mmCIF file of all heavy atoms in Angstrom:
data_model
loop_
_atom_site.group_PDB
_atom_site.id
_atom_site.type_symbol
_atom_site.label_atom_id
_atom_site.label_comp_id
_atom_site.label_asym_id
_atom_site.label_seq_id
_atom_site.Cartn_x
_atom_site.Cartn_y
_atom_site.Cartn_z
ATOM 1 N N ALA A 17 -6.040 -6.573 -21.383
ATOM 2 C CA ALA A 17 -4.797 -7.077 -21.968
ATOM 3 C C ALA A 17 -4.794 -8.598 -22.012
ATOM 4 O O ALA A 17 -4.108 -9.202 -22.846
ATOM 5 C CB ALA A 17 -3.596 -6.566 -21.170
ATOM 6 N N GLY A 18 -5.560 -9.233 -21.113
ATOM 7 C CA GLY A 18 -5.650 -10.692 -21.133
ATOM 8 C C GLY A 18 -6.339 -11.208 -22.375
ATOM 9 O O GLY A 18 -6.173 -12.375 -22.754
ATOM 10 N N ALA A 19 -7.114 -10.343 -23.025
ATOM 11 C CA ALA A 19 -7.802 -10.704 -24.268
ATOM 12 C C ALA A 19 -7.084 -10.133 -25.481
ATOM 13 O O ALA A 19 -7.644 -10.112 -26.579
ATOM 14 C CB ALA A 19 -9.243 -10.210 -24.215
ATOM 15 N N GLY A 20 -5.877 -9.613 -25.278
ATOM 16 C CA GLY A 20 -5.088 -9.129 -26.399
ATOM 17 C C GLY A 20 -5.206 -7.649 -26.683
ATOM 18 O O GLY A 20 -4.610 -7.152 -27.644
ATOM 19 N N GLU A 21 -6.004 -6.918 -25.883
ATOM 20 C CA GLU A 21 -6.141 -5.483 -26.119
ATOM 21 C C GLU A 21 -4.903 -4.733 -25.599
ATOM 22 O O GLU A 21 -4.282 -5.144 -24.614
ATOM 23 C CB GLU A 21 -7.400 -4.949 -25.427
ATOM 24 C CG GLU A 21 -8.697 -5.529 -25.964
ATOM 25 C CD GLU A 21 -9.916 -4.905 -25.294
ATOM 26 O OE1 GLU A 21 -9.862 -3.687 -25.006
ATOM 27 O OE2 GLU A 21 -10.891 -5.626 -25.047
ATOM 28 N N GLU A 22 -4.591 -3.626 -26.268
ATOM 29 C CA GLU A 22 -3.406 -2.840 -25.888
ATOM 30 C C GLU A 22 -3.766 -1.847 -24.780
ATOM 31 O O GLU A 22 -3.789 -0.632 -24.969
ATOM 32 C CB GLU A 22 -2.829 -2.125 -27.111
ATOM 33 C CG GLU A 22 -2.287 -3.080 -28.163
ATOM 34 C CD GLU A 22 -1.652 -2.345 -29.333
ATOM 35 O OE1 GLU A 22 -1.674 -1.085 -29.353
ATOM 36 O OE2 GLU A 22 -1.127 -3.012 -30.247
ATOM 37 N N VAL A 23 -4.046 -2.376 -23.616
ATOM 38 C CA VAL A 23 -4.349 -1.561 -22.440
ATOM 39 C C VAL A 23 -3.192 -1.738 -21.473
ATOM 40 O O VAL A 23 -3.100 -2.751 -20.768
ATOM 41 C CB VAL A 23 -5.681 -1.975 -21.785
ATOM 42 C CG1 VAL A 23 -5.936 -1.136 -20.530
ATOM 43 C CG2 VAL A 23 -6.827 -1.834 -22.777
ATOM 44 N N TYR A 24 -2.315 -0.737 -21.438
ATOM 45 C CA TYR A 24 -1.064 -0.873 -20.687
ATOM 46 C C TYR A 24 -1.086 0.067 -19.471
ATOM 47 O O TYR A 24 -0.432 1.097 -19.439
ATOM 48 C CB TYR A 24 0.123 -0.559 -21.588
ATOM 49 C CG TYR A 24 0.189 -1.433 -22.831
ATOM 50 C CD1 TYR A 24 0.544 -0.896 -24.066
ATOM 51 C CD2 TYR A 24 -0.117 -2.790 -22.758
ATOM 52 C CE1 TYR A 24 0.613 -1.703 -25.199
ATOM 53 C CE2 TYR A 24 -0.061 -3.600 -23.885
ATOM 54 C CZ TYR A 24 0.302 -3.046 -25.104
ATOM 55 O OH TYR A 24 0.363 -3.847 -26.223
ATOM 56 N N ASP A 25 -1.876 -0.288 -18.505
ATOM 57 C CA ASP A 25 -2.040 0.549 -17.322
ATOM 58 C C ASP A 25 -1.149 0.048 -16.176
ATOM 59 O O ASP A 25 -0.310 -0.844 -16.359
ATOM 60 C CB ASP A 25 -3.504 0.593 -16.898
ATOM 61 C CG ASP A 25 -4.083 -0.812 -16.680
ATOM 62 O OD1 ASP A 25 -3.294 -1.786 -16.671
ATOM 63 O OD2 ASP A 25 -5.311 -0.928 -16.507
ATOM 64 N N VAL A 26 -1.354 0.608 -14.982
ATOM 65 C CA VAL A 26 -0.545 0.220 -13.828
ATOM 66 C C VAL A 26 -0.734 -1.261 -13.503
ATOM 67 O O VAL A 26 0.225 -1.957 -13.137
ATOM 68 C CB VAL A 26 -0.903 1.095 -12.605
ATOM 69 C CG1 VAL A 26 -0.209 0.575 -11.351
ATOM 70 C CG2 VAL A 26 -0.513 2.544 -12.851
ATOM 71 N N THR A 27 -1.955 -1.752 -13.647
ATOM 72 C CA THR A 27 -2.210 -3.173 -13.377
ATOM 73 C C THR A 27 -1.390 -4.046 -14.317
ATOM 74 O O THR A 27 -0.783 -5.043 -13.895
ATOM 75 C CB THR A 27 -3.703 -3.487 -13.533
ATOM 76 O OG1 THR A 27 -4.452 -2.664 -12.654
ATOM 77 C CG2 THR A 27 -3.978 -4.957 -13.233
ATOM 78 N N PHE A 28 -1.365 -3.681 -15.572
ATOM 79 C CA PHE A 28 -0.588 -4.418 -16.566
ATOM 80 C C PHE A 28 0.893 -4.458 -16.167
ATOM 81 O O PHE A 28 1.552 -5.501 -16.271
ATOM 82 C CB PHE A 28 -0.758 -3.748 -17.933
ATOM 83 C CG PHE A 28 0.037 -4.385 -19.036
ATOM 84 C CD1 PHE A 28 -0.426 -5.518 -19.690
ATOM 85 C CD2 PHE A 28 1.257 -3.852 -19.431
ATOM 86 C CE1 PHE A 28 0.312 -6.099 -20.722
ATOM 87 C CE2 PHE A 28 1.999 -4.421 -20.451
ATOM 88 C CZ PHE A 28 1.523 -5.556 -21.107
ATOM 89 N N GLU A 29 1.397 -3.334 -15.692
ATOM 90 C CA GLU A 29 2.801 -3.275 -15.291
ATOM 91 C C GLU A 29 3.053 -4.084 -14.021
ATOM 92 O O GLU A 29 4.018 -4.853 -13.924
ATOM 93 C CB GLU A 29 3.223 -1.820 -15.066
ATOM 94 C CG GLU A 29 3.204 -0.959 -16.322
ATOM 95 C CD GLU A 29 3.775 0.432 -16.080
ATOM 96 O OE1 GLU A 29 4.743 0.547 -15.314
ATOM 97 O OE2 GLU A 29 3.247 1.398 -16.656
ATOM 98 N N ASN A 30 2.192 -3.915 -13.023
ATOM 99 C CA ASN A 30 2.439 -4.534 -11.727
ATOM 100 C C ASN A 30 2.214 -6.044 -11.725
ATOM 101 O O ASN A 30 2.780 -6.747 -10.874
ATOM 102 C CB ASN A 30 1.591 -3.873 -10.647
ATOM 103 C CG ASN A 30 2.181 -2.537 -10.213
ATOM 104 O OD1 ASN A 30 3.289 -2.191 -10.606
ATOM 105 N ND2 ASN A 30 1.442 -1.791 -9.411
ATOM 106 N N VAL A 31 1.384 -6.532 -12.637
ATOM 107 C CA VAL A 31 1.261 -7.979 -12.773
ATOM 108 C C VAL A 31 2.629 -8.575 -13.112
ATOM 109 O O VAL A 31 3.038 -9.605 -12.552
ATOM 110 C CB VAL A 31 0.212 -8.343 -13.836
ATOM 111 C CG1 VAL A 31 0.404 -9.778 -14.328
ATOM 112 C CG2 VAL A 31 -1.197 -8.169 -13.285
ATOM 113 N N GLN A 32 3.348 -7.918 -13.995
ATOM 114 C CA GLN A 32 4.674 -8.426 -14.380
ATOM 115 C C GLN A 32 5.669 -8.302 -13.219
ATOM 116 O O GLN A 32 6.399 -9.246 -12.901
ATOM 117 C CB GLN A 32 5.194 -7.647 -15.588
ATOM 118 C CG GLN A 32 4.342 -7.808 -16.836
ATOM 119 C CD GLN A 32 4.794 -6.869 -17.944
ATOM 120 O OE1 GLN A 32 5.829 -7.093 -18.570
ATOM 121 N NE2 GLN A 32 4.024 -5.813 -18.182
ATOM 122 N N ALA A 33 5.696 -7.135 -12.590
ATOM 123 C CA ALA A 33 6.629 -6.923 -11.482
ATOM 124 C C ALA A 33 6.340 -7.885 -10.335
ATOM 125 O O ALA A 33 7.257 -8.447 -9.722
ATOM 126 C CB ALA A 33 6.545 -5.478 -10.996
ATOM 127 N N GLY A 34 5.048 -8.090 -10.049
ATOM 128 C CA GLY A 34 4.676 -8.973 -8.959
ATOM 129 C C GLY A 34 5.022 -10.421 -9.244
ATOM 130 O O GLY A 34 5.503 -11.151 -8.363
ATOM 131 N N LEU A 35 4.803 -10.857 -10.466
ATOM 132 C CA LEU A 35 5.100 -12.248 -10.810
ATOM 133 C C LEU A 35 6.602 -12.529 -10.722
ATOM 134 O O LEU A 35 7.010 -13.613 -10.281
ATOM 135 C CB LEU A 35 4.595 -12.552 -12.220
ATOM 136 C CG LEU A 35 3.093 -12.865 -12.335
ATOM 137 C CD1 LEU A 35 2.690 -13.010 -13.787
ATOM 138 C CD2 LEU A 35 2.742 -14.133 -11.553
ATOM 139 N N ARG A 36 7.394 -11.600 -11.138
ATOM 140 C CA ARG A 36 8.844 -11.803 -11.050
ATOM 141 C C ARG A 36 9.263 -12.042 -9.598
ATOM 142 O O ARG A 36 10.022 -12.957 -9.298
ATOM 143 C CB ARG A 36 9.574 -10.594 -11.640
ATOM 144 C CG ARG A 36 9.552 -10.551 -13.159
ATOM 145 C CD ARG A 36 10.115 -9.254 -13.710
ATOM 146 N NE ARG A 36 10.209 -9.313 -15.168
ATOM 147 C CZ ARG A 36 10.031 -8.276 -15.973
ATOM 148 N NH1 ARG A 36 9.745 -7.083 -15.459
ATOM 149 N NH2 ARG A 36 10.147 -8.414 -17.277
ATOM 150 N N THR A 37 8.761 -11.194 -8.706
ATOM 151 C CA THR A 37 9.108 -11.354 -7.296
ATOM 152 C C THR A 37 8.543 -12.652 -6.740
ATOM 153 O O THR A 37 9.214 -13.367 -5.980
ATOM 154 C CB THR A 37 8.581 -10.153 -6.496
ATOM 155 O OG1 THR A 37 9.136 -8.953 -7.017
ATOM 156 C CG2 THR A 37 8.964 -10.274 -5.027
ATOM 157 N N ASP A 38 7.317 -12.979 -7.106
ATOM 158 C CA ASP A 38 6.693 -14.209 -6.629
ATOM 159 C C ASP A 38 7.507 -15.428 -7.047
ATOM 160 O O ASP A 38 7.780 -16.339 -6.236
ATOM 161 C CB ASP A 38 5.272 -14.304 -7.189
ATOM 162 C CG ASP A 38 4.380 -15.217 -6.353
ATOM 163 O OD1 ASP A 38 4.878 -15.792 -5.364
ATOM 164 O OD2 ASP A 38 3.194 -15.352 -6.688
ATOM 165 N N PHE A 39 7.914 -15.467 -8.297
ATOM 166 C CA PHE A 39 8.733 -16.583 -8.776
ATOM 167 C C PHE A 39 10.045 -16.683 -8.000
ATOM 168 O O PHE A 39 10.478 -17.770 -7.610
ATOM 169 C CB PHE A 39 9.036 -16.428 -10.269
ATOM 170 C CG PHE A 39 7.992 -17.025 -11.177
ATOM 171 C CD1 PHE A 39 7.333 -16.242 -12.116
ATOM 172 C CD2 PHE A 39 7.676 -18.377 -11.099
ATOM 173 C CE1 PHE A 39 6.374 -16.788 -12.963
ATOM 174 C CE2 PHE A 39 6.717 -18.933 -11.948
ATOM 175 C CZ PHE A 39 6.056 -18.137 -12.872
ATOM 176 N N LEU A 40 10.694 -15.536 -7.768
ATOM 177 C CA LEU A 40 11.982 -15.552 -7.078
ATOM 178 C C LEU A 40 11.840 -16.092 -5.659
ATOM 179 O O LEU A 40 12.678 -16.883 -5.188
ATOM 180 C CB LEU A 40 12.583 -14.141 -7.057
ATOM 181 C CG LEU A 40 13.062 -13.585 -8.407
ATOM 182 C CD1 LEU A 40 13.510 -12.145 -8.262
ATOM 183 C CD2 LEU A 40 14.192 -14.440 -8.983
ATOM 184 N N PHE A 41 10.777 -15.693 -4.960
ATOM 185 C CA PHE A 41 10.585 -16.186 -3.597
ATOM 186 C C PHE A 41 10.320 -17.694 -3.586
ATOM 187 O O PHE A 41 10.840 -18.424 -2.728
ATOM 188 C CB PHE A 41 9.421 -15.443 -2.919
ATOM 189 C CG PHE A 41 9.850 -14.208 -2.168
ATOM 190 C CD1 PHE A 41 9.747 -12.948 -2.735
ATOM 191 C CD2 PHE A 41 10.369 -14.322 -0.884
ATOM 192 C CE1 PHE A 41 10.151 -11.818 -2.040
ATOM 193 C CE2 PHE A 41 10.767 -13.191 -0.183
ATOM 194 C CZ PHE A 41 10.664 -11.938 -0.759
ATOM 195 N N ARG A 42 9.515 -18.158 -4.498
ATOM 196 C CA ARG A 42 9.209 -19.587 -4.517
ATOM 197 C C ARG A 42 10.435 -20.402 -4.930
ATOM 198 O O ARG A 42 10.654 -21.501 -4.414
ATOM 199 C CB ARG A 42 8.055 -19.852 -5.479
ATOM 200 C CG ARG A 42 6.764 -19.098 -5.179
ATOM 201 C CD ARG A 42 6.118 -19.450 -3.849
ATOM 202 N NE ARG A 42 6.772 -18.930 -2.678
ATOM 203 C CZ ARG A 42 6.627 -17.682 -2.199
ATOM 204 N NH1 ARG A 42 5.857 -16.813 -2.837
ATOM 205 N NH2 ARG A 42 7.241 -17.314 -1.085
ATOM 206 N N ILE A 43 11.236 -19.855 -5.841
ATOM 207 C CA ILE A 43 12.475 -20.542 -6.228
ATOM 208 C C ILE A 43 13.439 -20.582 -5.054
ATOM 209 O O ILE A 43 14.136 -21.584 -4.827
ATOM 210 C CB ILE A 43 13.109 -19.847 -7.449
ATOM 211 C CG1 ILE A 43 12.241 -20.072 -8.698
ATOM 212 C CG2 ILE A 43 14.534 -20.353 -7.693
ATOM 213 C CD1 ILE A 43 12.635 -19.215 -9.883
ATOM 214 N N ALA A 44 13.490 -19.492 -4.282
ATOM 215 C CA ALA A 44 14.353 -19.468 -3.095
ATOM 216 C C ALA A 44 13.909 -20.549 -2.107
ATOM 217 O O ALA A 44 14.738 -21.256 -1.512
ATOM 218 C CB ALA A 44 14.305 -18.092 -2.443
ATOM 219 N N ASN A 45 12.586 -20.720 -1.927
ATOM 220 C CA ASN A 45 12.079 -21.813 -1.078
ATOM 221 C C ASN A 45 12.531 -23.171 -1.613
ATOM 222 O O ASN A 45 12.965 -24.051 -0.863
ATOM 223 C CB ASN A 45 10.549 -21.797 -1.038
ATOM 224 C CG ASN A 45 9.968 -20.558 -0.363
ATOM 225 O OD1 ASN A 45 8.861 -20.161 -0.660
ATOM 226 N ND2 ASN A 45 10.706 -19.950 0.546
ATOM 227 N N GLN A 46 12.404 -23.316 -2.897
ATOM 228 C CA GLN A 46 12.669 -24.595 -3.551
ATOM 229 C C GLN A 46 14.140 -24.987 -3.499
ATOM 230 O O GLN A 46 14.483 -26.157 -3.315
ATOM 231 C CB GLN A 46 12.198 -24.508 -5.013
ATOM 232 C CG GLN A 46 12.431 -25.766 -5.834
ATOM 233 C CD GLN A 46 12.177 -25.520 -7.311
ATOM 234 O OE1 GLN A 46 12.529 -24.465 -7.832
ATOM 235 N NE2 GLN A 46 11.554 -26.488 -7.979
ATOM 236 N N ARG A 47 15.041 -23.998 -3.612
ATOM 237 C CA ARG A 47 16.458 -24.313 -3.816
ATOM 238 C C ARG A 47 17.357 -23.857 -2.674
ATOM 239 O O ARG A 47 18.576 -23.830 -2.800
ATOM 240 C CB ARG A 47 16.936 -23.695 -5.129
ATOM 241 C CG ARG A 47 16.059 -24.119 -6.311
ATOM 242 C CD ARG A 47 16.603 -23.678 -7.637
ATOM 243 N NE ARG A 47 15.615 -23.866 -8.699
ATOM 244 C CZ ARG A 47 15.843 -23.624 -9.992
ATOM 245 N NH1 ARG A 47 17.047 -23.197 -10.379
ATOM 246 N NH2 ARG A 47 14.893 -23.801 -10.893
ATOM 247 N N GLY A 48 16.749 -23.507 -1.557
ATOM 248 C CA GLY A 48 17.550 -23.177 -0.385
ATOM 249 C C GLY A 48 18.298 -21.865 -0.506
ATOM 250 O O GLY A 48 19.497 -21.800 -0.207
ATOM 251 N N GLY A 49 17.591 -20.844 -0.916
ATOM 252 C CA GLY A 49 18.248 -19.555 -1.107
ATOM 253 C C GLY A 49 17.498 -18.403 -0.465
ATOM 254 O O GLY A 49 16.448 -18.576 0.157
ATOM 255 N N ILE A 50 18.054 -17.216 -0.609
ATOM 256 C CA ILE A 50 17.378 -15.980 -0.212
ATOM 257 C C ILE A 50 17.301 -15.075 -1.436
ATOM 258 O O ILE A 50 18.185 -15.095 -2.302
ATOM 259 C CB ILE A 50 18.116 -15.244 0.930
ATOM 260 C CG1 ILE A 50 19.551 -14.862 0.513
ATOM 261 C CG2 ILE A 50 18.127 -16.068 2.196
ATOM 262 C CD1 ILE A 50 20.242 -13.915 1.484
ATOM 263 N N VAL A 51 16.233 -14.312 -1.500
ATOM 264 C CA VAL A 51 16.059 -13.370 -2.604
ATOM 265 C C VAL A 51 16.834 -12.102 -2.290
ATOM 266 O O VAL A 51 16.617 -11.470 -1.244
ATOM 267 C CB VAL A 51 14.575 -13.044 -2.826
ATOM 268 C CG1 VAL A 51 14.426 -12.000 -3.940
ATOM 269 C CG2 VAL A 51 13.800 -14.299 -3.176
ATOM 270 N N LEU A 52 17.731 -11.742 -3.179
ATOM 271 C CA LEU A 52 18.503 -10.511 -3.015
ATOM 272 C C LEU A 52 17.807 -9.388 -3.761
ATOM 273 O O LEU A 52 17.683 -9.421 -4.998
ATOM 274 C CB LEU A 52 19.924 -10.701 -3.555
ATOM 275 C CG LEU A 52 20.902 -9.548 -3.281
ATOM 276 C CD1 LEU A 52 21.133 -9.391 -1.779
ATOM 277 C CD2 LEU A 52 22.231 -9.768 -3.995
ATOM 278 N N GLY A 53 17.322 -8.389 -3.013
ATOM 279 C CA GLY A 53 16.653 -7.245 -3.633
ATOM 280 C C GLY A 53 17.636 -6.348 -4.344
ATOM 281 O O GLY A 53 18.817 -6.267 -3.982
ATOM 282 N N THR A 54 17.149 -5.642 -5.357
ATOM 283 C CA THR A 54 18.038 -4.823 -6.183
ATOM 284 C C THR A 54 17.694 -3.335 -6.181
ATOM 285 O O THR A 54 18.478 -2.526 -6.668
ATOM 286 C CB THR A 54 18.008 -5.329 -7.646
ATOM 287 O OG1 THR A 54 16.682 -5.183 -8.167
ATOM 288 C CG2 THR A 54 18.418 -6.796 -7.706
ATOM 289 N N GLY A 55 16.530 -2.949 -5.643
ATOM 290 C CA GLY A 55 16.104 -1.551 -5.691
ATOM 291 C C GLY A 55 17.030 -0.623 -4.923
ATOM 292 O O GLY A 55 17.599 -1.004 -3.893
ATOM 293 N N ASP A 56 17.189 0.601 -5.412
ATOM 294 C CA ASP A 56 18.134 1.540 -4.797
ATOM 295 C C ASP A 56 17.406 2.606 -3.976
ATOM 296 O O ASP A 56 16.176 2.669 -3.936
ATOM 297 C CB ASP A 56 19.033 2.184 -5.854
ATOM 298 C CG ASP A 56 18.265 2.991 -6.885
ATOM 299 O OD1 ASP A 56 17.488 3.888 -6.495
ATOM 300 O OD2 ASP A 56 18.435 2.747 -8.096
ATOM 301 N N MET A 57 18.196 3.468 -3.316
ATOM 302 C CA MET A 57 17.647 4.481 -2.420
ATOM 303 C C MET A 57 16.829 5.525 -3.180
ATOM 304 O O MET A 57 15.821 6.029 -2.669
ATOM 305 C CB MET A 57 18.781 5.160 -1.652
ATOM 306 C CG MET A 57 18.298 6.162 -0.616
ATOM 307 S SD MET A 57 19.546 6.593 0.613
ATOM 308 C CE MET A 57 20.787 7.378 -0.389
ATOM 309 N N SER A 58 17.232 5.862 -4.394
ATOM 310 C CA SER A 58 16.490 6.855 -5.184
ATOM 311 C C SER A 58 15.093 6.341 -5.503
ATOM 312 O O SER A 58 14.109 7.086 -5.455
ATOM 313 C CB SER A 58 17.244 7.182 -6.477
ATOM 314 O OG SER A 58 18.560 7.584 -6.203
ATOM 315 N N GLU A 59 14.992 5.056 -5.856
ATOM 316 C CA GLU A 59 13.688 4.473 -6.150
ATOM 317 C C GLU A 59 12.818 4.417 -4.897
ATOM 318 O O GLU A 59 11.606 4.649 -4.967
ATOM 319 C CB GLU A 59 13.876 3.075 -6.740
ATOM 320 C CG GLU A 59 14.521 3.088 -8.121
ATOM 321 C CD GLU A 59 14.733 1.698 -8.695
ATOM 322 O OE1 GLU A 59 14.683 0.723 -7.924
ATOM 323 O OE2 GLU A 59 14.946 1.598 -9.922
ATOM 324 N N LEU A 60 13.428 4.130 -3.753
ATOM 325 C CA LEU A 60 12.670 4.130 -2.507
ATOM 326 C C LEU A 60 12.118 5.522 -2.199
ATOM 327 O O LEU A 60 10.985 5.674 -1.744
ATOM 328 C CB LEU A 60 13.550 3.664 -1.353
ATOM 329 C CG LEU A 60 13.744 2.158 -1.180
ATOM 330 C CD1 LEU A 60 14.744 1.884 -0.070
ATOM 331 C CD2 LEU A 60 12.414 1.479 -0.881
#
């Protein structure tokens, strides 16, 4: 997918999910905050 191919596997999905969380944690460090998780009991 990094070369433009339509390969949409678990890695493709988790790269996005992981980056979102990574950004939120670093922003929390930067701006004096805590990351509020949103996942529910059914997803757990």
Side-chain angles (χ1 to χ4, degrees):
E21 296 183 36
E22 295 183 357
V23 178
Y24 303 139
D25 55 10
V26 172
T27 302
F28 178 82
E29 295 186 37
N30 282 352
V31 161
Q32 297 172 74
L35 279 174
R36 284 172 174 146
T37 302
D38 202 358
F39 272 122
L40 291 175
F41 269 98
R42 302 297 74 82
I43 291 169
N45 295 153
Q46 179 190 39
R47 306 188 191 183
I50 60 169
V51 177
L52 188 64
T54 62
D56 61 54
M57 184 163 64
S58 306
E59 292 179 343
L60 279 175

